[in-house]
Amino acid sequence: MNASKLLTVGLVQHACSASRNKNLERSQSGIRQAAADGARLVLLQELHTAVYFCQTEDPRAFAMAETVPGPTTGLLGKLAKELAIVIIGSVFEKCAAGFFYNTAVVLNPDGKLAGSYRKTHIPDDPGYSEKFYFTPGNRGIKAIDTPVGRLGVLVCWDQWYPEAARLMALDGAQLLLYPSALGWDAGDRADQRDQQLEAWITVQRGHAIANQLPVLCCNRTGTELAADDSGADIEFWGSSFACGPQGEMLARAGNADQVLLADVDLSRNAELDRVWPFFRDRRTDLYGDLVKRHRKRS
Amino acid sequence: MNASKLLTVGLVQHACSASRNKNLERSQSGIRQAAADGARLVLLQELHTAVYFCQTEDPRAFAMAETVPGPTTGLLGKLAKELAIVIIGSVFEKCAAGFFYNTAVVLNPDGKLAGSYRKTHIPDDPGYSEKFYFTPGNRGIKAIDTPVGRLGVLVCWDQWYPEAARLMALDGAQLLLYPSALGWDAGDRADQRDQQLEAWITVQRGHAIANQLPVLCCNRTGTELAADDSGADIEFWGSSFACGPQGEMLARAGNADQVLLADVDLSRNAELDRVWPFFRDRRTDLYGDLVKRHRKRS
């Protein structure tokens, strides 16, 4: 039996307004609260400095993009250093002319940028026009080393892809993390709502189980009205959660603003892969077709 | 909105004894009952004609192996024709000298063998010495056409592998099916038991969600004592279930013998891939590392 390697984590979910300063105040206040309660790693939600501007396609929104490193990583890095914790934030990244990314950033307890991850799976459905704004991530699916562990940071839509979780696990991630911004459309029926939310949680618990890694997911709250007449209002469902490497729920938030804390035992990963040694039996000789683009018609 | 394409399915879970005839009687009686209740597809559990002989390594057990087609497919085919249904059975397959497989067989309503699938991921942990008996499947992960749909038939340990489910989906499967034989070891603590069972169900619901396909899983019941003094008794946990393409539970059995029925709506698959179009956004350009055998040390 390994010695327990407990890591207290904090997930800060909150609603956003048009004011970048107010949004950052909420994030920072949540981070301070989590750290005061013992968190050594704090995960923020996707694009936490702004409203979810991808509800509509508006060229003016590009003015909000910033570099990495840049203002937000500077601010989060300073806070990470002050509190001596790891912070995972999310930035609308401006890279080069015509290249913008939806980027998760990891700040180390020394205040420095440990690394960043550019969202690779980009959604585009009513209310989530991300393909207009974001170039698909070009740096692969790579874990990031920090003093509290090697982190598999992915972003929102990546949540639905077993490939992304597996690649992070193969790259040595000890923890999967998803900053997220997802909710119900105004038109979703009551009976669909629960099922959508449970599907979203279940598929991520599935990644935990298949890869024997804990999963942290931090999701936005609040209702945001579409800027146009599309009616694409979104009621972000919060429900941030932490589960262990067997998919067991450690903590789950409601849909209001909340700082969610959980104790993750990183020694459980290695315990599990001795009881159910999944990785040993992967049939890599048969997996070549996973790079096929098209599905056979049925 | 597509027209509903309802398929009534039956899952026959039962305990097994040393008598092949009695085991086959139980399977057949369950199949008849499911068909009488309207099932047009019946899924049996893994290796339903015998006790789970893989609890120990015993060269004499190879004498039970049979060819495909062979006695069991002949018998199931006859019943499939009589009842005009599709039956998925499971056979300890003897192929050539030194080559034995854990094989799922699909019988069509005309009584003919629609196809078979040789288990590709082979477990080997205390009480499950399958690597001694079975050569890993050599025919790839391919779906099988039947009059009720194109079936992605996998077997037990495959349940834990997102790669297997995804390859079946890419090969056009409309339904994922898992004959299974899994349970608790005598030494498992009470608090571990629930978590193991829920992990097993959740990871399969995750495959349903990620691939937008219903999942059927039929698992053995009963306690089987190890033939040797290893103490590797197994309490097979039953809990066969059917879930829809959003992971929603349609029916779930307890741990006693049972014929479980469910109505699966195959038109929901295509509805879902218009709401959440996951396959469109797969980053096949980044998935090459999925064929890597080793995990990076963390």
Side-chain angles (χ1 to χ4, degrees):
Chain A
M1 195 73 93
N2 291 327
S4 166
K5 280 168 60 181
L6 276 188
L7 173 67
T8 303
V9 300
L11 285 58
V12 178
Q13 67 174 33
H14 61 76
C16 287
S17 70
S19 160
R20 171 179 160 89
N21 283 345
K22 282 191 184 159
N23 297 331
L24 278 167
E25 273 168 29
R26 285 185 190 177
S27 296
Q28 291 175 91
S29 143
I31 293 168
R32 286 184 185 281
Q33 186 185 324
D37 290 340
R40 290 164 56 215
L41 175 153
V42 177
L43 174 64
L44 301 177
Q45 71 207 26
E46 187 183 17
L47 301 171
H48 51 88
T49 68
V51 292
Y52 184 65
F53 53 88
C54 314
Q55 275 185 290
T56 53
E57 300 188 357
D58 182 354
R60 290 171 300 182
F62 286 98
M64 289 192 294
E66 55 177 299
T67 56
V68 172
T72 298
T73 59
L75 192 145
L76 294 178
K78 205 172 146 188
L79 192 57
K81 187 172 180 180
E82 178 195 329
L83 302 171
I85 62 171
V86 169
I87 298 176
I88 296 94
S90 171
V91 173
F92 181 15
E93 182 188 3
K94 175 169 61 180
C95 176
F99 287 84
F100 296 81
Y101 297 96
N102 185 332
T103 302
V105 294
V106 180
L107 287 310
N108 262 343
D110 63 3
K112 290 183 183 152
L113 188 66
S116 67
Y117 164 79
R118 292 172 169 168
K119 184 172 183 175
T120 48
H121 298 93
I122 308 293
D124 200 288
D125 46 290
Y128 300 84
S129 294
E130 295 199 19
K131 288 194 194 300
F132 177 68
Y133 295 103
F134 308 125
T135 299
N138 61 335
R139 288 194 188 145
I141 294 172
K142 299 289 177 190
I144 296 170
D145 276 317
T146 75
V148 298
R150 188 164 166 83
L151 308 183
V153 182
L154 293 158
V155 179
C156 205
W157 193 238
D158 293 328
Q159 284 155 342
W160 302 100
Y161 294 84
E163 293 91 344
R166 183 66 104 200
L167 286 167
M168 280 298 184
L170 288 172
D171 198 45
Q174 296 170 290
L175 201 62
L176 297 174
L177 303 94
Y178 297 93
S180 176
L182 188 56
W184 294 294
D185 298 337
D188 285 340
R189 294 197 318 261
D191 63 322
Q192 292 173 335
R193 292 183 169 223
D194 272 359
Q195 200 158 297
Q196 289 174 354
L197 173 56
E198 289 310 312
W200 175 78
I201 290 176
T202 302
V203 78
Q204 293 177 78
R205 290 175 62 206
H207 303 330
I209 297 161
N211 295 290
Q212 301 176 319
L213 298 177
V215 168
L216 310 182
C217 170
C218 185
N219 190 54
R220 177 183 293 249
T221 68
T223 297
E224 297 186 20
L225 306 181
D228 59 13
D229 294 336
S230 66
D233 304 339
I234 304 177
E235 190 181 330
F236 292 100
W237 63 39
S239 305
S240 300
F241 68 90
C243 73
Q246 216 164 16
E248 71 277 20
M249 197 57 83
L250 302 174
R252 176 174 168 173
N255 62 358
D257 290 10
Q258 188 173 340
V259 176
L260 187 74
L261 289 166
D263 288 325
V264 177
D265 183 355
L266 294 176
S267 69
R268 293 248 306 136
N269 304 3
E271 271 176 46
L272 277 175
D273 70 34
R274 284 155 209 191
V275 179
W276 282 341
F278 302 148
F279 280 80
R280 179 196 62 192
D281 298 329
R282 292 180 75 239
R283 290 293 304 277
T284 52
D285 55 323
L286 296 180
Y287 294 165
D289 282 354
L290 289 170
V291 302
K292 274 195 183 165
R293 175 152 296 284
H294 287 284
R295 179 177 200 153
K296 188 163 181 173
R297 272 179 75 170
S298 55
Chain B
M1 195 73 94
N2 291 327
S4 164
K5 281 167 60 180
L6 276 188
L7 174 66
T8 303
V9 300
L11 285 59
V12 179
Q13 69 174 33
H14 61 76
C16 287
S17 70
S19 161
R20 171 179 160 90
N21 283 345
K22 282 190 184 160
N23 297 330
L24 277 167
E25 272 168 31
R26 285 185 191 178
S27 295
Q28 290 175 90
S29 143
I31 293 168
R32 286 185 186 283
Q33 185 185 326
D37 289 339
R40 291 163 56 214
L41 175 153
V42 177
L43 174 63
L44 301 177
Q45 70 206 24
E46 187 183 18
L47 301 171
H48 50 88
T49 68
V51 292
Y52 184 66
F53 52 88
C54 314
Q55 276 185 290
T56 51
E57 300 188 357
D58 182 353
R60 291 171 299 181
F62 286 99
M64 289 193 293
E66 54 177 300
T67 56
V68 172
T72 298
T73 60
L75 193 144
L76 294 178
K78 205 173 147 187
L79 192 56
K81 187 173 182 180
E82 178 195 327
L83 303 172
I85 62 171
V86 169
I87 298 174
I88 295 94
S90 172
V91 173
F92 180 15
E93 182 187 3
K94 175 169 61 180
C95 177
F99 287 83
F100 296 82
Y101 297 95
N102 185 332
T103 301
V105 294
V106 180
L107 287 309
N108 263 342
D110 64 2
K112 292 183 180 149
L113 188 66
S116 66
Y117 163 79
R118 292 171 169 169
K119 185 173 183 173
T120 48
H121 298 93
I122 308 294
D124 200 288
D125 46 290
Y128 300 84
S129 295
E130 295 199 19
K131 288 195 194 298
F132 176 68
Y133 295 102
F134 308 125
T135 299
N138 61 335
R139 290 194 186 144
I141 294 172
K142 299 289 177 189
I144 297 171
D145 276 316
T146 75
V148 299
R150 188 164 166 82
L151 307 183
V153 183
L154 294 158
V155 178
C156 205
W157 193 238
D158 293 327
Q159 285 155 342
W160 301 100
Y161 294 83
E163 293 91 344
R166 183 67 104 200
L167 286 167
M168 280 298 184
L170 288 172
D171 198 44
Q174 297 170 290
L175 202 62
L176 298 174
L177 302 95
Y178 297 93
S180 177
L182 188 57
W184 294 295
D185 298 338
D188 285 338
R189 294 197 318 261
D191 63 323
Q192 292 174 335
R193 292 183 169 222
D194 272 359
Q195 199 159 297
Q196 289 174 354
L197 173 56
E198 290 309 312
W200 174 78
I201 290 177
T202 302
V203 77
Q204 294 177 77
R205 290 175 63 206
H207 303 329
I209 298 162
N211 296 292
Q212 301 176 320
L213 298 176
V215 168
L216 310 183
C217 171
C218 184
N219 189 54
R220 177 183 294 248
T221 68
T223 297
E224 297 186 20
L225 306 180
D228 58 13
D229 294 337
S230 66
D233 304 339
I234 304 178
E235 191 181 331
F236 292 98
W237 62 41
S239 305
S240 300
F241 69 90
C243 73
Q246 217 164 15
E248 71 277 21
M249 198 56 83
L250 301 174
R252 176 174 168 173
N255 61 358
D257 289 11
Q258 188 173 340
V259 177
L260 186 75
L261 290 167
D263 288 326
V264 177
D265 183 355
L266 294 176
S267 69
R268 292 247 307 136
N269 304 2
E271 271 175 46
L272 278 176
D273 70 34
R274 285 156 209 191
V275 180
W276 282 340
F278 303 147
F279 281 79
R280 180 196 62 191
D281 298 330
R282 292 180 75 239
R283 291 293 304 276
T284 51
D285 56 322
L286 296 180
Y287 294 165
D289 281 354
L290 289 169
V291 302
K292 274 194 184 164
R293 175 151 297 284
H294 287 285
R295 180 176 199 154
K296 188 162 180 171
R297 271 179 77 170
S298 55

